[in-house]
Amino acid sequence: MSQIDLTLTPTTHDLGQFEVRRVLPAKKRTMVGPFIFVDQFGPAQLDLGTGMDVRPHPHINLATVTWLFEGAIEHRDSIGSFSTIRPGQVNLMTAGRGIVHSERSPAAERKAGPKLYGMQTWLALPDGREEIDPAFEAVTELPIVEDGRARAIVIMGELWGERAPTTTYADTIYAEIMLEAGGAIPIEEDADERALMLVGGEASVDGHELEQYTLNILQPGRDMTLESRTGARVMLLGGEAFETKRHAWWNFVSSRRERIQQAKEDWRNHRFPEIPGDSEERIELPEGEPKTVTYP
């Protein structure tokens, strides 16, 4: 019997010099634990003198998590945070009642030809905490679990007996797993919902081969083994199941439709705070009023 409940294939967006693969939300599944958006980008080598420029844009009632395998991204936000994200560092930006941020390639990276390879995920904030104050943290002292040919970085939550210092608002698990040829690691029954994404190499879970960039939702309540014959990089994510529905429109997530409507009006009328040093050329609201999606 397969240990995979559901396999989701990402929607790929070609942004010219690199691709972004969005696997959540999907028609068949909208959340895994608190994870409501899961994007994987790269690997890519951008042209000399160019770079990534995600202009200022707003979020509410969610937290963004950025994790890189290669490259660097400069983060700026409206509470005055500045951070250069690099591999091994998790950036957690809590939007809460509202935040604006931008993401750009550093000048030094542009001169060399930026590399981009990593993950960007959004976590829905739980009931009663959606409107908390915005916050930001960059965490580099993360637990590393090593066992023979397997090595895992615990990015969020508790896994394999180690707990990351990264803030969590709901029960959350998030880890990067690197397997050498012949490596294996247990995937324990430690969350309501769990999923695996193969982002490099070749791997299987209890004999089920993982297809690259797909999100494999694991059956609950079962211990499993992730292994690789030739080497792999795999992301493990999940956490507690949400009982209350979430609505999403553009960059806004909330349990209340009217809150999303308010956020639209606030952005349209320049009522969100500005980013110190990066307040020009913001991203405007999408044209055509895209549909508000309700999860689940």
Side-chain angles (χ1 to χ4, degrees):
M1 178 183 292
S2 173
Q3 302 281 42
I4 308 295
D5 256 356
L6 182 65
T7 299
L8 301 177
T9 301
T11 300
T12 301
H13 302 276
D14 188 342
L15 302 185
Q17 295 193 62
F18 66 101
E19 292 183 334
V20 175
R21 303 169 186 88
R22 176 160 296 168
V23 72
L24 276 184
K27 288 183 179 179
K28 293 181 179 179
R29 184 71 178 249
T30 52
M31 295 178 69
V32 178
F35 289 85
I36 196 165
F37 265 62
V38 175
D39 280 2
Q40 187 279 328
F41 51 90
Q45 174 79 56
L46 278 60
D47 294 339
L48 292 174
T50 65
M52 183 183 78
D53 282 293
V54 181
R55 293 171 288 136
H57 59 281
H59 293 287
I60 62 162
N61 293 189
L62 58 84
T64 67
V65 184
T66 307
W67 181 256
L68 294 179
F69 310 129
E70 285 186 299
I73 298 172
E74 287 184 346
H75 163 97
R76 287 181 171 84
D77 64 42
S78 55
I79 60 172
S81 312
F82 172 78
S83 176
T84 301
I85 312 167
R86 299 188 186 279
Q89 169 184 312
V90 57
N91 269 35
L92 174 71
M93 185 189 74
T94 303
R97 56 183 166 79
I99 200 168
V100 179
H101 75 135
S102 64
E103 298 159 293
R104 302 180 187 275
S105 296
E109 298 281 322
R110 293 173 190 267
K111 291 178 183 177
K115 293 181 179 180
L116 280 177
Y117 185 23
M119 306 286 299
Q120 176 129 90
T121 57
W122 296 0
L123 306 172
L125 294 179
D127 293 351
R129 306 201 71 182
E130 292 181 287
E131 295 289 335
I132 59 177
D133 290 342
F136 175 83
E137 62 188 63
V139 182
T140 55
E141 298 298 321
L142 297 169
I144 296 175
V145 177
E146 295 187 87
D147 182 13
R149 297 184 177 92
R151 181 175 185 268
I153 303 174
V154 182
I155 303 168
M156 300 183 78
E158 184 173 355
L159 288 161
W160 304 290
E162 298 284 347
R163 175 171 286 278
T166 317
T167 298
T168 56
Y169 300 102
D171 287 343
T172 306
I173 57 169
Y174 196 27
E176 177 187 349
I177 302 168
M178 287 78 70
L179 299 177
E180 297 178 14
I185 194 168
I187 305 298
E188 298 161 348
E189 178 209 344
D190 45 19
D192 291 346
E193 299 176 341
R194 303 164 298 166
L196 293 169
M197 176 187 280
L198 175 69
V199 294
E202 161 277 321
S204 62
V205 58
D206 281 8
H208 180 102
E209 294 288 336
L210 303 181
E211 184 179 347
Q212 201 163 51
Y213 305 128
T214 61
L215 192 68
N216 299 270
I217 315 296
L218 305 181
Q219 288 190 1
R222 294 188 177 206
D223 290 340
M224 310 177 192
T225 300
L226 177 72
E227 55 191 343
S228 177
R229 296 185 301 273
T230 57
R233 185 194 304 267
V234 181
M235 299 303 293
L236 168 65
L237 60 90
E240 68 176 272
F242 274 38
E243 294 183 2
T244 307
K245 290 181 179 180
R246 288 296 181 272
H247 309 288
W249 185 92
W250 191 40
N251 297 317
F252 305 138
V253 168
S254 180
S255 61
R256 297 182 294 124
R257 282 180 176 269
E258 61 271 21
R259 180 66 181 91
I260 290 178
Q261 188 61 39
Q262 177 191 333
K264 292 185 199 178
E265 294 303 317
D266 287 345
W267 186 246
R268 183 178 288 119
N269 293 295
H270 295 264
R271 290 196 288 259
F272 274 84
E274 294 187 346
I275 303 172
D278 194 356
S279 59
E280 298 181 1
E281 296 186 58
R282 70 179 200 162
I283 300 176
E284 299 296 340
L285 291 175
E287 296 181 3
E289 292 291 312
K291 180 181 177 182
T292 300
V293 181
T294 301
Y295 310 135

